[in-house]
Amino acid sequence: MSHRLHGILLGTTIRTHQSIPPHLISRAWFCSGRFRNQTHMESHASCEEVVGDSELLVKKMAAICNAGPAKLQVIADFDGTLTKYRVNGCRGQSSHGLLQQENPEYDKKRQELYEHYHPLEFSPTIPIEEKSKLMEEWWTKTHGLLIEGGLTYDGIRQSVADSTIAFREGVVQLFEFLEERDIPILIFSAGLADIIEEVLRQKIHRLFKNVKIVSNRMVFDNNGQLVSFQGKTIHSLNKNEHALDMAAPLHDQLGDNIGAPTYVNASVKTRRNVLLLGDHIGDLGMSDGLNYENRISVGFLNDNVENSLDSYREAFDVVYLNDAPMWGVVKLVSQLCPSDGH
């Protein structure tokens, strides 16, 4: 198994999923040192995949493959991970940023909040506890403006229709591959679950039975107007802790609903192998609290590659560069869950 997987990783043997265009399959590029200079980086400009420790990755892949798909779950961030970082050469919209309220005055107020709090979110001088309180304050005020401004679900539909948000190429094939094998996908987001679901409906034109969204969820009245939010607020700095809290009932349901489809009966609690997808190093915390046995982490380094590659390569098992498509992950899961068995 190890020799076969090692061969796959080195590019001597490439197992592909039939939906992946052959010209998009790239060889893995194993980096053990730092970029020496710009010329060195440019010489690998066509490479999309970086693996820091190939031997460790081979061991993880072998363990997950041997355990089988019934023991695997996927945890994914949404914005900048499942969606493109750039669309038509411009910075793509986020699920939160695309929202346009019917009253433009409230869009302006939310933008003012962004301009005030966003620099604080990344300030190196503010202690994390204080910063977390500021993020809670920011999200609470923003949610309040959405309610006060009379946001409706029709407004959400129109905002998504007018947006430039787009999924990476290969996301649909990834979801379909996992759905066929009853492998659950938990999408963790500090954004808005209702918008993410609408993006799925409009951009992919379907929902998937194995995809669950763990995010801030809205409550609408009979007229389709936003009146409140459910549960605890998930923001950028507590997404991990609270996302897991909110996911717990889902785990229980998946384990206890005997009459449900196969993917429901297969309890997430027993799925001790994790494939984690994110675009920030902080996304690695999405699996904190899960008692996993093996985790393969995949990072999408969308921008500032030269300055950030070292830290991403050390943090993630696999790194995809420059807003890469999802084909590499599709290939990875096809290797973890081969149709011809082990």
Side-chain angles (χ1 to χ4, degrees):
M1 171 61 69
S2 293
H3 291 299
R4 181 174 71 86
L5 287 173
H6 194 256
I8 291 172
L9 285 167
L10 289 175
T12 57
T13 303
I14 297 179
R15 176 189 293 276
T16 65
H17 186 262
Q18 61 181 1
S19 299
I20 306 176
H23 69 280
L24 290 177
I25 299 300
S26 59
R27 292 164 62 96
W29 170 30
F30 300 114
C31 297
S32 57
R34 299 172 59 88
F35 277 134
R36 300 297 187 269
N37 51 46
Q38 181 68 21
T39 302
H40 179 79
M41 188 175 75
E42 289 176 352
S43 69
H44 293 90
S46 61
C47 289
E48 294 179 338
E49 183 178 278
V50 178
V51 177
D53 189 336
S54 60
E55 295 297 331
L56 177 59
L57 179 57
V58 166
K59 290 179 181 178
K60 290 182 177 183
M61 290 179 67
I64 293 175
C65 187
N66 286 329
K71 297 296 183 181
L72 179 63
Q73 62 177 300
V74 176
I75 298 174
D77 172 57
F78 187 75
D79 292 308
T81 299
L82 297 178
T83 63
K84 293 181 179 180
Y85 184 79
R86 290 186 180 85
V87 178
N88 298 325
C90 299
R91 179 70 171 89
Q93 290 180 300
S94 69
S95 57
H96 221 145
L98 65 81
L99 186 59
Q100 298 294 314
Q101 293 181 248
E102 289 87 337
N103 187 338
E105 175 186 350
Y106 286 90
D107 292 331
K108 180 181 178 181
K109 290 181 178 180
R110 287 190 293 119
Q111 180 63 28
E112 289 172 352
L113 289 178
Y114 175 87
E115 293 171 358
H116 173 73
Y117 285 101
H118 186 256
L120 302 179
E121 179 181 5
F122 294 97
S123 170
T125 61
I126 300 176
I128 188 64
E129 290 186 4
E130 180 181 349
K131 190 181 292 188
S132 185
K133 291 179 181 178
L134 290 169
M135 295 303 100
E136 179 82 20
E137 185 179 283
W138 180 11
W139 258 251
T140 300
K141 288 181 179 179
T142 297
H143 289 176
L145 288 174
L146 295 176
I147 297 171
E148 182 183 336
L151 179 67
T152 64
Y153 200 87
D154 285 341
I156 290 176
R157 290 193 186 97
Q158 190 60 50
S159 293
V160 173
D162 294 340
S163 73
T164 58
I165 195 169
F167 286 97
R168 295 180 188 274
E169 294 179 1
V171 165
V172 173
Q173 287 79 359
L174 175 65
F175 283 6
E176 289 176 343
F177 184 93
L178 296 170
E179 184 181 48
E180 290 169 1
R181 288 153 183 80
D182 298 320
I183 298 172
I185 307 168
L186 296 181
I187 299 176
F188 287 178
S189 175
L192 299 166
D194 305 85
I195 293 180
I196 293 173
E197 289 176 353
E198 189 61 30
V199 171
L200 284 166
R201 290 188 188 97
Q202 292 194 28
K203 304 300 181 180
I204 296 182
H205 307 296
R206 61 164 294 190
L207 298 178
F208 294 85
K209 67 179 184 179
N210 60 324
V211 174
K212 300 296 180 182
I213 300 169
V214 184
S215 186
N216 297 296
R217 189 168 291 278
M218 301 173 174
V219 178
F220 297 88
D221 64 17
N222 293 333
N223 297 318
Q225 183 164 321
L226 176 64
V227 293
S228 64
F229 285 81
Q230 292 181 5
K232 301 175 182 177
T233 300
I234 301 175
H235 56 70
S236 58
L237 298 185
N238 76 350
K239 176 173 75 172
N240 311 322
E241 172 192 350
H242 287 289
L244 289 172
D245 290 343
M246 295 180 70
L250 171 62
H251 289 193
D252 291 339
Q253 178 185 352
L254 289 176
D256 298 337
N257 195 342
I258 303 302
T262 304
Y263 84 97
V264 174
N265 292 336
S267 173
V268 174
K269 288 181 177 179
T270 66
R271 294 177 181 267
R272 298 298 178 87
N273 295 322
V274 175
L275 175 62
L276 184 148
L277 312 178
D279 69 316
H280 291 291
I281 291 175
D283 288 335
L284 291 167
M286 291 189 296
S287 61
D288 288 352
L290 290 178
N291 187 23
Y292 61 81
E293 294 176 2
N294 302 284
R295 183 189 73 176
I296 293 178
S297 56
V298 176
F300 286 87
L301 179 50
N302 297 313
D303 198 15
N304 197 24
V305 172
E306 183 177 11
N307 294 327
S308 302
L309 180 58
D310 286 334
S311 59
Y312 270 66
R313 189 181 61 244
E314 291 172 5
F316 291 96
D317 294 303
V318 184
V319 181
Y320 291 100
L321 308 178
N322 298 314
D323 208 15
M326 193 63 70
W327 298 122
V329 179
V330 178
K331 183 176 72 171
L332 175 60
V333 296
S334 73
Q335 294 164 2
L336 297 177
C337 307
S339 58
D340 58 353
H342 308 314

